[in-house]
Amino acid sequence: LPSPASTKSYSLIVCLSPSSSRILLGLKKRGFGTGLYNSFGGKIEQGETPATGAARELEEEAGVRCPVNHMERCRVGDLHFTFADTNNKMLVHLFCVDLDSAEIDASSINWECDEIAPRWFPMSEVPFGNMFADDSVWLPMLLKDASARFSGYFHFQPGGDKVNLVDSYFLDLN
Ligand code: 6OG
């Protein structure tokens, strides 16, 4: 029987600069998703809320500081991931921050982080071919409207050097 303990919670923080029409992505250098670009984030630790975990990961991985009360206002929704080959389920709390906003300090981006290397991309040149497949489904909604609010479910099966997306559905909460 599936174990409820197999669901883990994560944060994922999309970082946009609307003034320059760019997105800050991270090249994953180790762990799950090595070699792929993704937004920043990671496991929510015991005692953390989604927003405190997101603020910590954003500072650790990107060197970007965002106060927790501001992070709470940047919540987009939840992404649920399931995998055909394991019982593992991921509950990903999705945030979208504006790096140009006064609340955020993006003056010392951590270009040399040993886990994930930050890099700017024009919003029109997001490297979807080198990202998890679910990003192609939901990230365009935030590129079009950074204040979009939605949740989604994605089912993956193993294959190739990344996981394959086999099913998804969306709840548009706007
Ligand atoms: P660490 O445990 O490595 O953090 N993540 C995914 N993000 C997307 N867009 N698609 C997926 O498809 C993902 N699987 C995991 C959640 C893992 C980080 O990677 C995200 C966390 O932010 C399967 O520190």
Side-chain angles (χ1 to χ4, degrees):
L1 286 170
S3 153
S6 65
T7 300
K8 293 205 175 96
S9 291
Y10 297 83
S11 61
L12 190 65
I13 309 99
V14 173
C15 294
L16 303 178
S17 169
S19 70
S20 62
S21 292
R22 292 184 302 172
I23 180 171
L24 190 70
L25 292 171
L27 178 63
K28 197 81 191 293
K29 290 158 83 171
R30 57 177 154 88
F32 184 53
T34 296
L36 298 181
Y37 285 97
N38 202 353
S39 292
F40 302 92
K43 209 167 154 262
I44 294 170
E45 310 284 354
Q46 207 172 6
E48 287 185 324
T49 65
T52 60
R56 176 184 53 75
E57 291 281 353
L58 186 58
E59 178 156 15
E60 282 175 11
E61 292 187 345
V64 171
R65 271 181 240 167
C66 176
V68 171
N69 65 347
H70 183 68
M71 188 65 86
E72 269 156 8
R73 292 194 293 271
C74 297
R75 233 182 134 129
V76 176
D78 296 332
L79 303 178
H80 298 251
F81 299 138
T82 55
F83 302 89
D85 55 333
T86 67
N87 260 345
N88 294 342
K89 299 176 182 65
M90 299 175 78
L91 171 54
V92 178
H93 300 273
L94 182 63
F95 297 82
C96 182
V97 302
D98 173 350
L99 295 184
D100 305 327
S101 79
E103 289 93 339
I104 291 183
D105 179 2
S107 63
S108 39
I109 291 173
N110 181 10
W111 301 106
E112 299 298 331
C113 181
D114 63 352
E115 185 186 343
I116 186 163
R119 194 172 143 197
W120 286 113
F121 289 89
M123 287 191 202
S124 57
E125 291 166 35
V126 174
F128 286 115
N130 278 311
M131 297 170 75
F132 285 121
D134 57 286
D135 289 52
S136 301
V137 179
W138 58 264
L139 185 52
M141 297 197 276
L142 289 172
L143 298 175
K144 205 174 129 200
D145 174 11
S147 61
R149 296 292 179 261
F150 54 82
S151 287
Y153 165 76
F154 300 88
H155 185 62
F156 295 93
Q157 62 187 22
D161 53 356
K162 344 178 219 182
V163 284
N164 290 325
L165 180 61
V166 291
D167 194 18
S168 68
Y169 71 76
F170 261 96
L171 298 171
D172 191 334
L173 302 177
N174 256 346

